[in-house]
Amino acid sequence: MVAYATAGWTALGDPTRRAIFEQLLEGPLAVGELAEYLPVSRPAVSQHLKVLKAAGLVIDRQAGKHRIYRVEPDGLVALRADLDRFWNKTLAAYKAVVEEDTKES
Amino acid sequence: MVAYATAGWTALGDPTRRAIFEQLLEGPLAVGELAEYLPVSRPAVSQHLKVLKAAGLVIDRQAGKHRIYRVEPDGLVALRADLDRFWNKTLAAYKAVVEEDTKES
DNA sequence: CAATATCGTAAGCGTACGCTTACACGTTAG
DNA sequence: CTAACGTGTAAGCGTACGCTTACGATATTG
């Protein structure tokens, strides 16, 4: 199994979703509050939250009339797995390049 | 400074670019060879490589008629910095949640 | 029960963007 | 010098997708 955080990469590929996610890193917020920090409408935030939730990056909780969103580690774990794999393979490639350069003298 | 790998996130946000990048993780390739692994045309690959290069994720080297692309660590370093920040803040948020739950008994 | 608040979703629109075809440029070979 | 190969880029097209407005659903309040 190679494991891909396809949904995660796609989710954080959008600038507005990154902004939403970064804001939630500062603490849980309701959708309406979240929208105040952003230059887009509340429904737009709702739609982005749906994507972030599907990627396991946020989780929501009903609190009276409000729906509180907060960050969740699951999606980040998958992204870290991918990124670590990228990193290790990149280093291996670099090592190969260095050895190749050393060989020719 | 907060540092954002904006270009990196956007670059790897596209599935085709991720496929290109993953292929390059297996070793350096020319544009034409790279295109053989993918369901898109060679010019499309060229355009994606331009984006990946701007994000510091790949680097190119002229080799005769061919132009060899290979992965580069710079872009990954920036992504790792962002992801580590996400991770730390997420853990801190979780810690706060646990303490809050412990308080109420 | 009516009224208000908070939110999700449907519908529709506009634009960014990923793709292809055609062409231009540089390099190598004959 | 011509021909052929490998590639980048311009032009154009089609569609995915991010956004807004309008509406429906649920939960609290009076």
Side-chain angles (χ1 to χ4, degrees):
Chain A
M1 183 194 75
V2 196
Y4 296 106
T6 305
W9 288 110
T10 303
L12 291 185
D14 179 72
T16 304
R17 277 194 293 267
R18 280 200 304 276
I20 292 176
F21 184 74
E22 297 244 11
Q23 186 58 50
L24 286 179
L25 286 173
E26 303 303 324
L29 281 178
V31 181
E33 298 173 300
L34 209 41
E36 296 177 357
Y37 289 93
L38 299 161
V40 297
S41 69
R42 183 195 53 76
V45 174
S46 234
Q47 293 165 5
H48 284 307
L49 285 170
K50 187 176 182 180
V51 177
L52 290 170
K53 184 180 176 182
L57 288 166
V58 303
I59 194 175
D60 60 324
R61 162 179 62 93
Q62 191 74 27
K65 296 195 250 185
H66 299 265
R67 180 172 287 257
I68 310 298
Y69 281 84
R70 59 179 171 81
V71 290
E72 206 211 11
D74 291 7
L76 289 180
V77 170
L79 282 173
R80 276 174 66 97
D82 271 357
L83 202 52
D84 285 348
R85 185 166 49 86
F86 293 168
W87 184 252
N88 290 331
K89 288 217 172 191
T90 300
L91 289 190
Y94 248 67
K95 185 181 176 187
V97 169
V98 171
E99 288 175 352
E100 190 67 20
D101 289 352
T102 307
K103 207 185 303 177
E104 47 177 288
S105 57
Chain B
M1 185 195 73
V2 196
Y4 297 107
T6 304
W9 288 109
T10 303
L12 292 185
D14 179 71
T16 304
R17 276 194 292 266
R18 279 201 304 276
I20 292 175
F21 185 74
E22 297 245 11
Q23 185 59 50
L24 286 180
L25 285 172
E26 304 303 324
L29 281 177
V31 182
E33 298 172 300
L34 209 40
E36 295 177 357
Y37 290 94
L38 299 161
V40 296
S41 69
R42 182 196 53 75
V45 175
S46 233
Q47 292 165 6
H48 284 306
L49 286 170
K50 187 177 183 178
V51 177
L52 290 170
K53 184 180 176 182
L57 288 166
V58 304
I59 195 175
D60 60 324
R61 162 178 62 94
Q62 192 75 27
K65 295 196 254 187
H66 300 267
R67 180 174 288 255
I68 311 297
Y69 281 85
R70 57 178 171 82
V71 290
E72 206 212 10
D74 291 7
L76 288 180
V77 170
L79 283 173
R80 275 173 67 97
D82 272 357
L83 202 51
D84 285 348
R85 184 165 51 86
F86 294 167
W87 185 250
N88 291 330
K89 287 217 171 190
T90 300
L91 288 190
Y94 249 68
K95 185 182 176 185
V97 169
V98 171
E99 289 176 350
E100 190 67 19
D101 289 352
T102 307
K103 206 184 303 177
E104 48 177 291
S105 57

